[in-house]
């Protein structure tokens, strides 16, 4: 899951983030000391947006707290060249609740539910605090997946298929190569202390599905989503 301490610097481990759908005391303590956290930059100019607009067709929009991301204008201000795969370590409802909680100070752009339903919480234009590394937050799109890293049964056929279509759309939009250098796990982000998506995530299967979805369009790139 996207981690508290979002834009890099000091971090709180995954096990301290959600416990039964609540933000644990360690994360709350960081915020309780008051003010902007040291790794957060002020939000940039907020471009006009269409309320409820999504970047992935069919996604449900549920807005994350503005405390959990930074306004931006990607890819004009930051080039996007990575997709970061996360696992929520909890159910869908607890992950959504955490990302809507301003005290959590973390969110991903998307959550894919076990039944394949996709929810977008942060626009791709903006920098979501999901990787625990400022540079990787700025250059990536974060996709959460409902489940637990030690329960392979959570990674359903529907979840893989929906996530692959989503990742393929992101890769087309920003001309990201579909390979393991550019589609990475949270555990592979420099400085990460997370284990997700874990050893049960089937990368070979996932890349095969993403490549298949990417090839279906026959296009090397899709235009930036509109309306903004």
């Amino acid at each position: 899951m996207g981690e508290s301490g979002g834009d890099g610097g000091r971090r709180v481990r995954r096990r301290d983030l959600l416990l039964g759908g609540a933000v644990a005391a360690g994360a709350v303590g960081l915020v309780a000391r008051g003010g902007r956290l040291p790794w957060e930059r002020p939000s940039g100019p907020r471009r006009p947006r269409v309320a409820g607009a999504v970047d992935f067709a069919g996604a449900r929009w549920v807005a994350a707290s503005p405390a959990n991301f930074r306004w931006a204008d990607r890819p004009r201000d930051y080039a996007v060249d990575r997709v970061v795969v996360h696992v929520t370590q909890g159910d869908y409802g607890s992950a959504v609740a955490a990302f809507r909680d301003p005290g959590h100070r973390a969110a991903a752009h998307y959550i894919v539910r076990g039944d394949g339903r996709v929810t977008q919480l942060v626009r791709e234009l903006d920098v979501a605090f999901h990787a625990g590394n400022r540079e990787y937050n700025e250059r990536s799109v974060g996709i959460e997946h409902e489940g637990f890293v030690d329960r392979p049964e959570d990674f359903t056929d529907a979840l893989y298929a929906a996530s692959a279509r989503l990742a393929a759309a992101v890769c087309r939009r920003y001309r990201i190569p579909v390979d393991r250098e550019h589609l990475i796990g949270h555990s592979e982000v420099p400085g990460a202390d997370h284990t997700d998506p874990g050893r049960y995530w089937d990368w070979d299967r996932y890349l095969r599905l993403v490549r298949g979805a990417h090839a279906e369009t026959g296009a090397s790139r899709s235009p930036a989503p509109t309306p903004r």
Side-chain angles (χ1 to χ4, degrees):
M1 172 175 264
E3 70 184 72
S4 184
D7 232 1
R10 185 174 182 178
R11 285 182 280 275
V12 177
R13 293 182 183 142
R14 170 184 300 278
R15 66 174 176 268
D16 297 326
L17 295 181
L18 288 176
L19 185 59
V23 179
V28 173
L30 282 176
V31 178
R33 285 193 281 273
R36 180 175 291 121
L37 296 175
W39 49 81
E40 293 180 342
R41 295 177 180 174
S43 296
R46 181 176 178 178
R47 293 179 61 84
R49 313 291 172 88
V50 175
V54 295
D55 299 309
F56 180 68
R60 175 192 181 199
W61 174 255
V62 178
S65 168
N68 298 334
F69 68 91
R70 173 154 47 90
W71 302 114
D73 188 19
R74 301 190 311 170
R76 293 182 183 179
D77 47 5
Y78 304 110
V80 177
D81 66 358
R82 293 287 188 281
V83 173
V84 179
V85 173
H86 302 262
V87 174
T88 59
Q89 288 297 92
D91 63 20
Y92 169 83
S94 64
V96 170
F99 294 164
R100 290 174 60 81
D101 177 1
H104 190 60
R105 299 295 175 97
H109 294 91
Y110 296 97
I111 301 175
V112 182
R113 211 162 61 180
D115 62 4
R117 181 73 177 265
V118 177
T119 298
Q120 183 167 8
L121 297 102
V122 178
R123 291 292 306 274
E124 291 177 17
L125 290 164
D126 298 322
V127 176
F129 301 158
H130 67 97
N133 176 305
R134 178 177 291 171
E135 178 188 358
Y136 273 69
N137 284 343
E138 291 170 347
R139 71 191 297 182
S140 67
V141 170
I143 303 176
E144 287 278 1
H145 299 84
E146 181 182 27
F148 292 85
V149 296
D150 57 352
R151 288 184 2 191
E153 64 271 20
D154 289 347
F155 304 146
T156 64
D157 292 345
L159 179 145
Y160 272 119
S163 180
R165 291 191 295 271
L166 170 58
V170 173
C171 289
R172 286 195 304 270
R173 187 149 38 247
Y174 304 107
R175 295 185 176 176
I176 301 173
V178 182
D179 58 33
R180 283 288 284 117
E181 180 181 352
H182 297 87
L183 279 74
I184 65 172
H186 192 179
S187 61
E188 297 170 294
V189 172
D193 58 4
H194 287 220
T195 62
D196 59 315
R199 63 191 178 99
Y200 293 115
W201 183 260
D202 190 338
W203 280 107
D204 290 340
R205 177 185 184 186
Y206 188 58
L207 287 176
R208 185 169 63 250
L209 289 170
V210 176
R211 288 174 180 139
H214 192 282
E216 283 178 5
T217 66
S220 61
R221 183 179 183 179
S222 62
T226 56
R228 297 176 76 87

